């Protein structure tokens, strides 16, 4: 028996969405000596949250087809747990906490997309 679905059916990412996801993750995780503007943090957080919500059900489906006890399944399950935790959290009350939340969503999206079939990230289908 596979994991219980906690999200709606997966939404397939288009090539444009995959490109935007890559850029959004890069922006969220780029080193910076100063905090970005609050509006930029909010905009990127919304985008990353949307992508995480798209990726979670797709990875849940993949985990259901993986052999129990494998490293791949353990890593994907861990990424899903982190994603659910980040999606359940909020940005906090200040810019620093909102920035940290945005970065966490960036890390979550990066981990989740690593579990997509290889062809799903470079433009072809499974």
């Amino acid at each position: 028996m596979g994991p219980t679905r906690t999200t709606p059916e997966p939404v397939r990412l288009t090539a444009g969405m995959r490109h935007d996801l890559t850029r959004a993750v890069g922006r969220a995780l780029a080193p910076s000596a100063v905090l970005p503007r609050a509006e930029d943090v909010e905009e990127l957080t919304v985008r990353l949250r949307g992508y995480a919500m798209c990726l979670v059900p797709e990875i849940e489906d993949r985990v259901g087809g993986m052999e129990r006890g494998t490293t791949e399944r353990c890593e994907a399950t861990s990424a899903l747990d982190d994603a659910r935790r980040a999606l359940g959290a909020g940005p906090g009350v200040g810019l620093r906490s909102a920035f940290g939340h945005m970065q966490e969503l960036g890390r979550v999206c990066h981990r989740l997309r690593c579990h997509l079939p290889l062809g799903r990230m470079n433009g072809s289908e499974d």
Side-chain angles (χ1 to χ4, degrees):
M1 183 165 135
T4 304
R5 177 177 291 288
T6 59
T7 55
E9 288 300 312
V11 174
R12 292 286 187 178
L13 298 178
T14 65
M17 291 168 74
R18 288 189 299 269
H19 179 70
D20 185 61
L21 170 60
T22 299
R23 286 181 48 233
V25 167
R27 280 183 56 205
L29 300 180
S32 176
V34 296
L35 291 173
R37 295 177 329 134
E39 298 81 16
D40 295 338
V41 171
E42 183 178 351
E43 180 268 331
L44 192 52
T45 298
V46 168
R47 284 174 46 206
L48 290 167
R49 179 176 287 281
Y51 282 125
M53 291 172 67
C54 287
L55 290 168
V56 165
E58 191 161 348
I59 304 308
E60 284 176 336
D61 284 351
R62 288 191 48 78
V63 166
M66 293 176 184
E67 187 176 329
R68 289 187 181 275
T70 62
T71 301
E72 180 183 22
R73 183 179 174 130
C74 290
E75 289 174 355
T77 301
S78 174
L80 286 169
D81 290 344
D82 288 348
R84 290 184 192 107
R85 194 171 18 264
L87 288 169
V93 295
L95 180 56
R96 189 172 304 280
S97 63
F99 180 69
H101 180 64
M102 177 198 72
Q103 288 181 314
E104 181 62 21
L105 287 170
R107 285 188 287 273
V108 158
C109 285
H110 175 70
R111 286 190 68 202
L112 290 173
R113 73 183 180 156
C114 288
H115 295 287
L116 289 173
L118 208 47
R120 294 280 292 123
M121 282 310 296
N122 67 16
S124 62
E125 289 299 317
D126 299 308

